Amino acid sequence: MAINFIPTIGQKDGSAVLTDLTKVLRDGSVYPQEADIIIYTGWPQVKDYDGRTHSSDLTAFGTDYGIKLVKISLSSNFSEVRRDAQSILQAAATTDALLSKSLKLKRRRKLIFDVVPIIYAPNLDGGHFKDEEVEFASNEAELIRLLKRTDESLTTEQRDEVQAIIEGAKALGQITEVDDDETLQPIARAYRNLEAIIYNFDASQRSVALTAIKGPQRIRGLAGTGKTVILAMKAALAHIENPNAKILITYYTRSLRDIIERLITRFHRHFAEVDPNWENVHVRHGWGRANVPGVYRDACIRDGIAFKSFGDVKHMRDPFGTVCSELIKNGPPSAYYDVILVDEGQDFPDSFYQMCFFLAKGTRDEKQIIWAYDELQNIFDVKVREPEQLFGKDDDGVPRISLTRSLPLGTDTNDFVLQRAYRNQRDILVLAHSIGFGVYGQPVQMLENAKHWEDVGYDVVSGDFTTGSLNIVERPMVNSPSALATPKDVRLIDIRGATDMSNEVELASREIRQFIEGGIQPHEILVISLDDKSARGYFSALSTSMLEFGVPCNNIINDPYSEPPFRIDGKITLSTVFRAKGNEAAVVIILGADAAVLQTRTGRNKIFVAFTRTKGWLRVFGVENRTFTALCSEVRIALSKSPRIEFNMPDMTNLSTIQRGLEDKHARIVEAKRRVERMKSELGLTDDEIADLLEED
């Protein structure tokens, strides 16, 4: 039997009745062995028209059982139980309305199964409770009977649809509106189908977003594994749970604000049907400017301290780290936020984390600080900095934050590793890693061992990863499940040389026009210049060419002193690598690839970041020179070996080692999950069959 248990962000502490009930449902004795059940605690959470929040203490959903929402009322007072019954009825009605928006789940204009509200009141005499709309249970046996009541059987597609709606994934489908006309061009149709896969992100990612942990959490994964989406969902759910709480979500790349706000809005509307209150949900750049809010700037203003801009400290070795350190030394900033979520955590200095520690309310191990760390994407540092380093030590010499120390009893982990990359096509991600490490040219960096390759979603085919050994790793489809059915005459990846800059812009313009004529919207195209010095020249020439075609461009480097939206409908986005980080597009066009410095980590990491911005197609252009010829050669070799990467392990004393950074317990959990997923894939086993194997003596 497969029972998936998700203790969500809305779960309330201290209910022994809920704890005991959850144990009973999870021990395998309630439902038949073949049943497929999901148990949520504290979910769903919804709002009524008056803005009041209603939630289910326990929700059970099964392929053959419909959806049962349970409110536990321990009162012996009839009117109080009646109030709880009306609350669970409201939660059920809103859930029913959400599900009814999907035609896949309806027959004759009605849902094909029931959303059943249940009031469980063990301290009330059931003989006095009469309500035809709410089921009543006064003891555990009656409740179990109601939960086991069968309903219309669902297909796998219908089951997945219900889960995606309940967990909020369907909200993402509203971000990009695509015409459903049957006359869509093949390119546009291929991309529309791809987005349907990407936006219905998998259950393990949604579980991370929903799961409640009282205390700090770290979320790690490659580009495109959904970290930003997860943080935005956590922010929206925390706001629904407590509209008066102060919630901060912060980021490093200035152009990320727009997409984060849109994600939070989508999730909040999905469950609460209204926009968030931005007075209490702050989407802030880490630093800020004189006219732009930021975490550091806001903290200075609240505490009456003079704010320092980049211009004030640009001569320093670490400008942002310096201003954060000074703020802490001058007297730690006052606690202000109930929840702090940090995106692009790999780019922030240690002192920024220490500032966030003081800004977060609560005791040391209960501070709700959640940071997402992008594996392999930090352009400045290869070392995975552990929490003890990031947050520093308290006055008593003890680390302020320790994931091991703060892990609640009964919780598997608070250090989540996301292995499935949904943004990038498998061949593009394998190519990006190959070029980023330099395995087919001049290696400049490397993962430290086989386990680290597995952490980021590869299977080790052969090799012992000792110096000089031949090693082969392969990226399985299960960890790169987004497959773009590109038309046969449209290459997924193409790299072409030009005679000069003018010819390069001409080639790029021609490619962009073909994609637009194929149905791709201008705002779904991103142009990145790898040549920072020539970026303005590239973008000026390209903008002129595109205007002749009738398509304007959104050149986000035109105003370096503000936070312009990264994507504007109807406009092609023009960006440098640094501004593009954290963003994505259907098509990525790279200019100035001949300027990449292949002998340095910074040069290769810029290529890696640029390549991994695309959800679909990749086009690379550069003026033909020695560097561009070498890059073309590496690309051809990588594509010929994809989805494998083959390399001789370099001498790690001569180059940068990207550290794994997993504590032993968490590493064992990650390894166990990876092996189970691989066993399911190789042997074609279901979750039920895996569970049966584990239960055998």
Side-chain angles (χ1 to χ4, degrees):
M1 176 176 59
I3 293 184
N4 184 16
F5 173 60
I6 303 177
T8 77
I9 196 169
Q11 177 176 304
K12 301 297 186 293
D13 293 331
S15 174
V17 174
L18 178 59
T19 300
D20 292 342
L21 179 59
T22 303
K23 288 180 180 178
V24 170
L25 294 176
R26 296 182 67 191
D27 69 8
S29 62
V30 173
Y31 294 100
Q33 289 295 311
E34 67 278 7
D36 183 10
I37 305 294
I38 304 176
I39 302 293
Y40 305 92
T41 50
W43 194 256
Q45 286 197 352
V46 300
K47 282 191 175 182
D48 59 23
Y49 287 116
D50 295 323
R52 290 173 297 196
T53 300
H54 303 273
S55 66
S56 172
D57 293 319
L58 182 142
T59 295
F61 163 59
T63 303
D64 300 311
Y65 296 88
I67 301 177
K68 314 289 179 23
L69 278 65
V70 181
K71 172 68 73 175
I72 299 174
S73 183
L74 300 181
S75 176
S76 58
N77 182 283
F78 180 82
S79 61
E80 291 179 356
V81 174
R82 169 66 67 182
R83 181 197 60 204
D84 290 336
Q86 290 302 303
S87 179
I88 197 63
L89 180 60
Q90 180 65 61
T94 304
T95 302
D96 187 289
L98 284 172
L99 295 168
S100 295
K101 294 179 181 180
S102 173
L103 294 179
K104 296 178 182 178
L105 305 177
K106 299 184 77 173
R107 185 186 302 126
R108 298 192 184 121
R109 300 189 300 276
K110 293 184 178 181
L111 277 180
I112 59 178
F113 57 88
D114 289 331
V115 178
V116 180
I118 302 172
I119 185 74
Y120 177 39
N123 298 322
L124 184 72
D125 182 358
H128 299 293
F129 188 91
K130 302 294 182 183
D131 192 321
E132 295 181 356
E133 295 187 275
V134 180
E135 299 284 355
F136 178 83
S138 61
N139 57 63
E140 187 176 285
E142 291 178 359
L143 177 59
I144 296 299
R145 178 184 59 80
L146 291 172
L147 292 175
K148 290 176 64 176
R149 194 166 66 191
T150 57
D151 206 317
E152 178 89 10
S153 293
L154 303 180
T155 65
T156 299
E157 182 184 19
Q158 289 169 335
R159 178 207 178 280
D160 292 344
E161 180 81 351
V162 171
Q163 188 177 356
I165 293 171
I166 290 177
E167 296 177 1
K170 299 300 287 188
L172 293 173
Q174 303 168 32
I175 292 177
T176 302
E177 295 182 2
V178 183
D179 191 359
D180 197 33
D181 193 330
E182 290 299 321
T183 62
L184 276 176
Q185 297 285 342
I187 291 176
R189 183 169 297 282
Y191 182 60
R192 184 198 64 181
N193 293 337
L194 173 68
E195 285 206 310
I197 298 172
I198 294 174
Y199 288 139
N200 190 19
F201 64 123
D202 70 42
S204 63
Q205 291 168 307
R206 298 199 299 263
S207 178
V208 173
L210 289 170
T211 298
I213 296 177
K214 300 302 181 185
Q217 303 172 49
R218 178 169 63 179
I219 302 169
R220 292 187 290 154
L222 297 173
T225 50
K227 297 179 297 300
T228 300
V229 174
I230 288 171
L231 291 181
M233 189 172 180
K234 281 184 175 291
L237 298 182
H239 186 45
I240 292 172
E241 180 187 17
N242 183 0
N244 296 319
K246 292 292 185 182
I247 299 165
L248 167 68
I249 182 166
T250 181
Y251 52 90
Y252 190 88
T253 304
R254 293 188 182 276
S255 55
L256 265 184
R257 177 179 58 83
D258 180 58
I259 184 62
I260 291 175
E261 286 185 346
R262 286 193 291 122
L263 284 168
I264 294 173
T265 299
R266 296 298 186 184
F267 283 124
H268 198 272
R269 286 177 180 172
H270 180 77
F271 295 111
E273 299 186 344
V274 294
D275 285 350
N277 176 5
W278 298 111
E279 293 294 320
N280 289 333
V281 181
H282 294 176
V283 182
R284 297 285 192 266
H285 181 258
W287 195 325
R289 289 180 170 147
N291 61 338
V292 179
V295 180
Y296 163 74
R297 170 187 175 274
D298 293 357
C300 289
I301 292 173
R302 282 194 300 268
D303 288 350
I305 298 173
F307 161 78
K308 289 188 177 181
S309 67
F310 174 75
D312 296 328
V313 291
K314 62 182 179 181
H315 60 283
M316 298 287 189
R317 184 173 178 271
D318 178 13
F320 190 35
T322 298
V323 297
C324 292
S325 293
E326 289 180 353
L327 177 62
I328 295 170
K329 290 177 181 177
N330 290 335
S334 305
Y336 186 75
Y337 290 106
D338 297 277
V339 180
I340 295 179
L341 304 111
V342 181
D343 201 6
E344 302 184 296
Q346 72 282 350
D347 289 334
F348 285 108
D350 295 350
S351 56
F352 176 79
Y353 283 90
Q354 292 156 23
M355 179 178 68
C356 288
F357 176 85
F358 291 110
L359 289 174
K361 297 177 182 177
T363 59
R364 187 159 60 190
D365 289 335
E366 294 180 347
K367 288 180 180 285
Q368 294 285 288
I369 304 175
I370 305 165
W371 68 102
Y373 198 101
D374 203 335
E375 299 272 19
L376 312 185
Q377 193 171 301
N378 189 336
I379 295 177
F380 308 106
D381 192 7
V382 293
K383 183 179 180 182
V384 175
R385 293 168 291 162
E386 292 301 323
E388 290 78 2
Q389 175 187 342
L390 292 175
F391 294 95
K393 294 183 178 180
D394 240 334
D395 294 337
D396 57 6
V398 176
R400 294 188 178 108
I401 297 291
S402 167
L403 291 174
T404 302
R405 187 186 69 215
S406 62
L407 183 67
L409 291 175
T411 304
D412 291 336
T413 183
N414 50 9
D415 189 8
F416 300 96
V417 179
L418 306 174
Q419 294 180 319
R420 293 182 180 175
Y422 277 81
R423 176 193 298 152
N424 307 126
Q425 300 303 296
R426 180 167 64 160
D427 283 344
I428 289 177
L429 188 57
V430 171
L431 170 65
H433 285 144
S434 301
I435 303 300
F437 291 128
V439 296
Y440 301 123
Q442 179 178 335
V444 297
Q445 56 190 343
M446 182 55 61
L447 302 185
E448 60 180 328
N449 53 38
K451 296 297 184 185
H452 199 171
W453 280 101
E454 292 169 351
D455 286 347
V456 296
Y458 284 82
D459 289 339
V460 175
V461 177
S462 63
D464 60 11
F465 294 83
T466 58
T467 301
S469 64
L470 174 63
N471 304 281
I472 301 175
V473 297
E474 180 176 340
R475 187 157 193 90
M477 185 62 77
V478 68
N479 286 337
S480 289
S482 301
L484 174 68
T486 184
K488 292 183 179 180
D489 60 340
V490 182
R491 285 186 172 187
L492 179 68
I493 304 166
D494 197 12
I495 181 168
R496 275 181 277 171
T499 56
D500 54 30
M501 181 175 172
S502 178
N503 178 226
E504 188 180 351
V505 171
E506 180 185 350
L507 291 173
S509 298
R510 191 181 308 157
E511 200 72 26
I512 292 171
R513 290 173 186 173
Q514 290 177 354
F515 276 109
I516 291 176
E517 290 170 351
I520 297 298
Q521 298 298 312
H523 52 264
E524 295 170 338
I525 299 174
L526 166 62
V527 180
I528 299 174
S529 173
L530 282 177
D531 187 343
D532 295 333
K533 294 181 179 179
S534 302
R536 293 188 181 277
Y538 274 119
F539 293 164
S540 176
L542 186 62
S543 294
T544 300
S545 176
M546 287 295 97
L547 278 177
E548 293 174 357
F549 183 57
V551 177
C553 293
N554 171 32
N555 184 352
I556 68 169
I557 70 170
N558 268 343
D559 184 2
Y561 302 106
S562 65
E563 296 183 14
F566 192 81
R567 193 186 86 163
I568 298 176
D569 287 352
K571 293 185 177 184
I572 299 165
T573 303
L574 311 180
S575 174
T576 60
V577 172
F578 289 91
R579 286 292 188 100
K581 285 183 63 189
N583 290 282
E584 59 190 22
V587 180
V588 167
I589 308 287
I590 294 175
L591 297 173
D594 55 283
V597 183
L598 301 180
Q599 293 76 30
T600 66
R601 287 189 53 257
T602 299
R604 287 191 176 272
N605 278 354
K606 286 175 69 176
I607 297 174
F608 175 83
V609 173
F611 281 16
T612 53
R613 295 311 93 200
T614 182
K615 295 187 285 185
W617 297 270
L618 176 66
R619 299 291 181 265
V620 184
F621 299 99
V623 176
E624 291 182 347
N625 61 13
R626 182 180 298 178
T627 297
F628 190 74
T629 299
L631 178 61
C632 288
S633 175
E634 290 188 34
V635 169
R636 283 193 291 270
I637 294 172
L639 293 180
S640 70
K641 296 181 181 296
S642 184
R644 292 185 171 187
I645 300 177
E646 300 179 9
F647 59 95
N648 291 101
M649 193 69 176
D651 184 351
M652 303 303 283
T653 61
N654 296 326
L655 73 164
S656 298
T657 303
I658 300 176
Q659 297 182 3
R660 188 173 182 226
L662 269 182
E663 298 182 26
D664 287 343
K665 178 179 179 180
H666 296 142
R668 290 195 300 271
I669 293 170
V670 170
E671 172 67 8
K673 290 181 178 178
R674 187 193 68 80
R675 290 188 179 185
V676 169
E677 288 296 323
R678 185 171 181 176
M679 187 187 306
K680 287 165 57 180
S681 176
E682 291 181 349
L683 302 180
L685 297 176
T686 65
D687 289 333
D688 290 345
E689 289 167 335
I690 289 289
D692 290 341
L693 286 173
L694 296 175
E695 290 173 2
E696 288 181 1
D697 294 329

